[in-house]
Amino acid sequence: MSIIWEISGINPRIQTDTHMKGFFSNLKGDTFGGLTAGIVALPLALAFGVSSGLGPSAGLYGAIFISFFAALFGGTNTQISGPTAPMTAVSMLVIAGLIGANNGDVEKALPAILTIFLLAGLMQIGLGAIGIGKYIRYIPYPVVSGFMTAIGVMILITQFLPALGYYPKEDVSYVEKFKPQSEEVILDKILQAEAGEGILVLEDFKETIKRAENISEEEILLEAMTLAGSNSSGVMGALKSLPRAIRNINYLELILCLITILVIYGFKKITTAVPSTLVALLLVSGVAYGFGLGYRPIEKIPSGFPMPNLSIITDFKLGAIAPYFFTALSLSFLGAIDSLLTSVVADNMTKTKHKPNKELIGQGIGNSIAAFFGGIPGAGATIRTVVNINAGGKTKLSGMIAGILLLVVLLALGPIASQIPAAVLAGILITVGIGVMDYKGLKAIPSMPKVEVTIMLIVLVLSVFWDLVYAVGIGLVLASLMFMKKMGDVTAKASKVESLHGLERNNIDKFWKDEEHNFPKELKEEIFIKHLNGPVFFGSTSELQQLATQIPETASHVILRMDRVPYMDQSGVYTLEEIILGLEQKGIKTHIVGIQQQPLYLAKTIDIVPDLIPESNVFDDFDSCMAHLSTIVEDRVTAL
């Protein structure tokens, strides 16, 4: 535990008066900011919990523990953390996949689900500990834009069914279609059980037949309901079930959902001092409950303090979580991006500077503890953070107070919160889905380069209809390849091969400043200059090799101008070696001018210097190189 404290920058042994005064220096503002942010977080936490598939309590537990511990250990004083739309979207895929793998049994799947969430939290701590936080900002905008818009689309589509009041598991005629398949599933379970018990004999199925005869209609129906729910989950499942949902609309649920949406958007026009989401939650839920409308409530929220789910340890099975290792890694990276983007917003508002690596450690600790208590993972939440700052929050205390408030709500109001209509949370999530989309990026499509638009759309489509993790990975690879292609083109375009004769032809653009007058005219055909401009890396190697072939037979010496090469990778240095070897075979001597520290280190590492190019042929500036060449180069043309 002392190591965690030390990494986080908090030493419990150093509790000076100054530290305590700083922590409580803005008690009134932090209290009001934390309470306000906690109120905003309440309906969202419940909604994200329902959307994830683990129920409202999982969302509330996540909000409580992540908010408190991410604030305590994090690196952004005003950050309010908890379940967010992107994190819930990825979590939803994990949860649905593992529940499906466990034949619809949530309790059986729960240890593996929470273990993956715990693993994601530990990975976040690792990312912060190795200093990865400062590199998150290099993720290309088209990838982020496509991903965020995809999250919004996914939330919207998956809320169509609850908004219409349609639940596939309760559609009798729909469930009936899955009964034959459910019998196959149950029989497969019997065979697996017999194989595990060592009593499955292929020549004699007496035991199998005996067990099959004991299958009840109730078992078949429950399995069919599980299959119906699984077949309708996710984006594709929701789209396939939408026509059936439209034919079976529950108009009460639809009206409650629409009123919730109208109140959320309408109340914002009256005032923003009170969160419109909370107003909609209280108002629509209060009316529905007060008038005794026969609505569908959310799942029951357990009362009392949340207890650790020790099944993470006792029921741990590596095989169950191994396929989701990269999903856990994507959750950790997604949480890092989500949190650090919010930290930047907080910095701009408060004129402060966050500590990115410390923030990742704090988020990782929060997510790890939340997983132990059955909560879904989260990250820094922009809206809640902005609300906190506007309400007066300035220190870590505000985020901790937000978590405490949600705990109080859980302990005191759990039974009341269990009466919230499911349609109200569906309405809240629809507004979240609409709000999370990147409209700035969408509006810019006509003016954006086609390559960037293509990457954004690829990430968007693949995220919605295939897999979020793979979509982002493919987007990053494509964006990186496009960037390297552009940089290679720029480097090749700026890199030229010129003779001293060519530099003399009144084309001032071909000169570098120190070359204009500093060359012996009689050596025009013997000395050629190769300008390298920009980083020399694998994206520019083919163009550089082509440039090397432009040096004519009359040349006896080539000057490599590397003043403007700040970086060279392994591919670049090997290409340079090939070029120099090729020139050497033609009897052409190479001289280097202005090579910087990193390229020089690589050149010495693979012995370009001094084996191919003696150190006497490496010059700091062009003047000294020309002074040297003037004494050793013979005018071949004149000699002929």
Side-chain angles (χ1 to χ4, degrees):
M1 187 64 169
S2 61
I3 294 174
I4 294 176
W5 280 93
E6 208 168 301
I7 292 174
S8 303
I10 301 174
N11 191 336
R13 292 170 293 183
I14 305 174
Q15 295 291 339
T16 64
D17 292 338
T18 305
H19 176 79
M20 294 304 291
K21 285 178 181 177
F23 197 75
F24 294 103
S25 60
N26 186 48
L27 183 58
K28 183 179 178 181
D30 289 336
T31 300
F32 192 64
L35 291 174
T36 308
I39 290 169
V40 173
L42 175 61
L44 294 174
L46 295 172
F48 286 136
V50 171
S51 176
S52 73
L54 288 185
S57 57
L60 200 52
Y61 294 163
I64 290 168
F65 292 105
I66 298 170
S67 180
F68 186 89
F69 288 103
L72 177 61
F73 293 103
T76 311
N77 287 341
T78 54
Q79 183 102 292
I80 303 294
S81 303
T84 62
M87 292 293 279
T88 303
V90 177
S91 301
M92 183 171 59
L93 299 177
V94 175
I95 293 164
L98 283 168
I99 289 176
N102 286 274
N103 301 310
D105 191 334
V106 179
E107 290 302 317
K108 191 176 177 182
L110 193 59
I113 291 169
L114 296 182
T115 302
I116 291 167
F117 293 164
L118 171 63
L119 182 61
L122 295 175
M123 286 177 174
Q124 275 188 320
I125 296 173
L127 292 176
I130 64 176
I132 209 76
K134 58 186 176 183
Y135 298 108
I136 296 295
R137 65 180 182 270
Y138 295 116
I139 294 178
Y141 183 80
V143 176
V144 176
S145 177
F147 179 80
M148 293 306 295
T149 302
I151 293 295
V153 172
M154 290 175 67
I155 290 173
L156 284 175
I157 293 175
T158 54
Q159 293 309 304
F160 284 163
L161 302 189
L164 295 172
Y166 179 74
Y167 295 87
K169 288 184 178 182
E170 299 172 9
D171 185 343
V172 177
S173 60
Y174 183 63
V175 170
E176 196 72 25
K177 294 180 179 180
F178 290 92
K179 280 192 173 181
Q181 187 180 345
S182 69
E183 292 174 0
E184 293 177 14
V185 172
I186 293 172
L187 181 59
D188 184 55
K189 288 180 181 178
I190 290 173
L191 293 173
Q192 288 180 14
E194 289 181 356
E197 295 168 13
I199 60 174
L200 178 61
V201 181
L202 295 179
E203 292 79 11
D204 185 1
F205 284 98
K206 288 182 180 179
E207 180 63 26
T208 306
I209 295 169
K210 181 180 177 182
R211 294 189 182 188
E213 287 174 346
N214 291 328
I215 299 171
S216 66
E217 280 296 320
E218 185 179 354
E219 285 180 275
I220 295 172
L221 179 61
L222 286 172
E223 190 62 47
M225 290 172 67
T226 299
L227 291 171
S230 177
N231 194 62
S232 301
S233 64
V235 171
M236 296 305 297
L239 290 175
K240 285 190 293 184
S241 300
L242 187 57
R244 196 172 189 90
I246 292 172
R247 293 194 299 268
N248 295 274
I249 295 176
N250 184 320
Y251 287 98
L252 173 61
E253 300 290 315
L254 178 60
I255 290 168
L256 290 175
C257 178
L258 292 175
I259 291 174
T260 301
I261 295 170
L262 290 173
V263 172
I264 289 173
Y265 287 123
F267 195 80
K268 286 180 180 178
K269 296 181 179 180
I270 300 172
T271 179
T272 55
V274 180
S276 62
T277 305
L278 181 67
V279 172
L281 177 72
L282 296 176
L283 179 63
V284 182
S285 300
V287 170
Y289 182 78
F291 283 91
L293 303 179
Y295 64 85
R296 180 191 182 95
I298 61 173
E299 295 177 31
K300 186 178 179 181
I301 299 175
S303 57
F305 194 90
M307 300 302 293
N309 193 320
L310 298 179
S311 62
I312 291 179
I313 299 170
T314 57
D315 296 340
F316 176 77
K317 293 178 182 177
L318 183 60
I321 66 167
Y324 294 90
F325 178 84
F326 286 106
T327 305
L329 185 61
S330 71
L331 263 175
S332 66
F333 269 105
L334 177 58
I337 296 166
D338 211 357
S339 300
L340 295 181
L341 287 176
T342 302
S343 296
V344 171
V345 173
D347 284 352
N348 291 335
M349 292 183 69
T350 59
K351 310 303 178 189
T352 58
K353 187 171 178 61
H354 72 281
K355 298 175 182 177
N357 294 317
K358 188 177 178 183
E359 181 61 36
L360 293 190
I361 291 171
Q363 293 291 334
I365 292 172
N367 278 314
S368 300
I369 295 173
F372 260 111
F373 285 88
I376 58 174
T382 305
I383 294 175
R384 281 160 264 179
T385 299
V386 170
V387 166
N388 176 42
I389 294 169
N390 288 336
K394 289 183 180 179
T395 76
K396 296 171 177 286
L397 189 61
S398 57
M400 296 165 67
I401 288 173
I404 292 170
L405 171 67
L406 293 172
L407 179 61
V408 171
V409 170
L410 172 68
L411 297 176
L413 304 175
I416 296 173
S418 297
Q419 300 302 315
I420 295 171
V424 170
L425 294 189
I428 291 172
L429 283 170
I430 286 172
T431 63
V432 170
I434 294 170
V436 81
M437 293 187 203
D438 181 33
Y439 296 102
K440 180 181 177 182
L442 293 172
K443 288 177 182 177
I445 285 178
S447 57
M448 284 170 61
K450 290 182 180 179
V451 171
E452 294 191 8
V453 172
T454 302
I455 291 171
M456 186 188 78
L457 293 177
I458 286 173
V459 173
L460 169 58
V461 173
L462 292 181
S463 296
V464 173
F465 296 106
W466 184 38
D467 187 281
L468 279 165
V469 180
Y470 291 131
V472 172
I474 290 170
L476 284 172
V477 170
L478 289 176
S480 300
L481 289 174
M482 289 303 102
F483 173 77
M484 288 181 284
K485 173 68 169 61
K486 288 178 184 177
M487 289 300 99
D489 291 345
V490 169
T491 302
K493 187 176 180 181
S495 301
K496 304 172 185 176
V497 177
E498 295 290 350
S499 69
L500 295 181
H501 179 65
L503 293 175
E504 192 185 25
R505 294 175 184 164
N506 297 321
N507 189 348
I508 200 71
D509 291 336
K510 294 184 179 180
F511 283 113
W512 283 10
K513 190 173 181 180
D514 54 359
E515 297 169 351
E516 187 171 353
H517 302 293
N518 190 11
F519 60 85
K521 294 182 180 180
E522 66 275 9
L523 301 177
K524 297 171 186 174
E525 303 297 336
E526 287 76 21
I527 299 176
F528 277 74
I529 298 176
K530 184 173 178 62
H531 290 137
L532 299 183
N533 211 333
V536 177
F537 65 110
F538 63 89
S540 60
T541 53
S542 60
E543 288 83 358
L544 291 179
Q545 287 171 327
Q546 189 176 2
L547 282 172
T549 63
Q550 298 170 8
I551 299 171
E553 297 295 330
T554 59
S556 61
H557 294 267
V558 168
I559 301 171
L560 290 181
R561 295 299 308 266
M562 298 187 68
D563 315 54
R564 301 177 187 178
V565 178
Y567 172 78
M568 187 162 58
D569 71 357
Q570 193 171 12
S571 299
V573 77
Y574 286 141
T575 300
L576 192 64
E577 182 183 34
E578 289 176 19
I579 291 171
I580 295 168
L581 277 171
L583 294 173
E584 191 75 24
Q585 289 168 1
K586 294 178 182 179
I588 301 173
K589 299 296 181 183
T590 304
H591 308 266
I592 295 178
V593 172
I595 187 168
Q596 297 185 36
Q597 187 175 355
Q598 190 270 346
L600 179 60
Y601 172 78
L602 278 183
K604 287 184 175 180
T605 300
I606 68 164
D607 296 325
I608 290 178
V609 178
D611 290 0
L612 288 178
I613 301 177
E615 292 199 14
S616 59
N617 285 7
V618 179
F619 302 92
D620 292 332
D621 55 68
F622 185 72
D623 292 349
S624 57
C625 179
M626 289 309 304
H628 172 71
L629 287 174
S630 297
T631 63
I632 65 169
V633 178
E634 179 185 352
D635 183 358
R636 292 184 183 179
V637 176
T638 305
L640 291 172

